[in-house]
Amino acid sequence: MTIAIAPSLLSADFSRLGDAARACEEGGADWIHFDVMDGHFVPNLTVGPIVLAALRKATRVPFDVHLMIEKPLATLDQYLDAGAGRVAVHVEAEPHLLRFAQHARGRGVSPGVAINPGTSLASLDEALHFVDFVLVMTVNPGWGGQAFIPGSLDRIGRLADIIRSVGSKATIAVDGGVGPDNIAPLVRAGARHFVAGSSIFSTGDAREAIRGLRGAAGTPGTLHA
Ligand code: DX5
Ligand code: ZN
């Protein structure tokens, strides 16, 4: 299992999103992360399927869609049609997680479940058997540029233990406050997929920042616990 880096466009210049997507590709990003916010599930309002579809033409990098919206099943197909390669809904927002996962998978899109910092890991219980990944929020969702919540490292370690103990194949993705200074401990704790917004787009050179983050992550097999 290798490391995947997913720059979040939330911290990019919204007047030049096409350029930001191309920079992600040139920097070797594995995914481009889209933060979809509806002004209800979280207070902020961002992009929807029209913007995804437009950017789908700007890059070959697959899209990692994070739905921070109420009633995600009502509009899920719009995001799948717009070119999502994988998609996560929040455990706090969707009571029909199995229906969601079956539907996404049936359309060839990898399903994941996102979880807020204040939600018990126990709420993931059944879902660990039918989603491909868990997107662990390490900030309260809504904005980029927030500080990583310190207890999250321990939380990721506990989730990795649970995943192992129930025999799930789900991988752990981390979203919020990820940068070169904390990515290696996150890898050691069991995370493999990293969303990063401000640590990539606030540097002025997104390509270099993506490469730097990957370098700082190291290789899981060679890291010592
Ligand atoms: C927060 C979003 C994140 C955010 C991460 O609600 O889900 O994807 O863009 O941004 P940074 O890396 O700046 O915390
Ligand atoms: Zn996100």
Side-chain angles (χ1 to χ4, degrees), residues 184-202:
L186 287 165
V187 172
R188 286 195 292 269
R192 293 294 178 266
H193 175 121
F194 299 93
V195 177
S198 50
S199 72
I200 287 177
F201 288 104
S202 67

Side-chain angles (χ1 to χ4, degrees), residues 8 33-35 66 68 135 137 175 195:
S8 163
H33 185 83
F34 281 86
D35 287 304
H66 177 192
M68 284 161 278
L135 183 65
M137 295 310 300
D175 186 1
V195 177

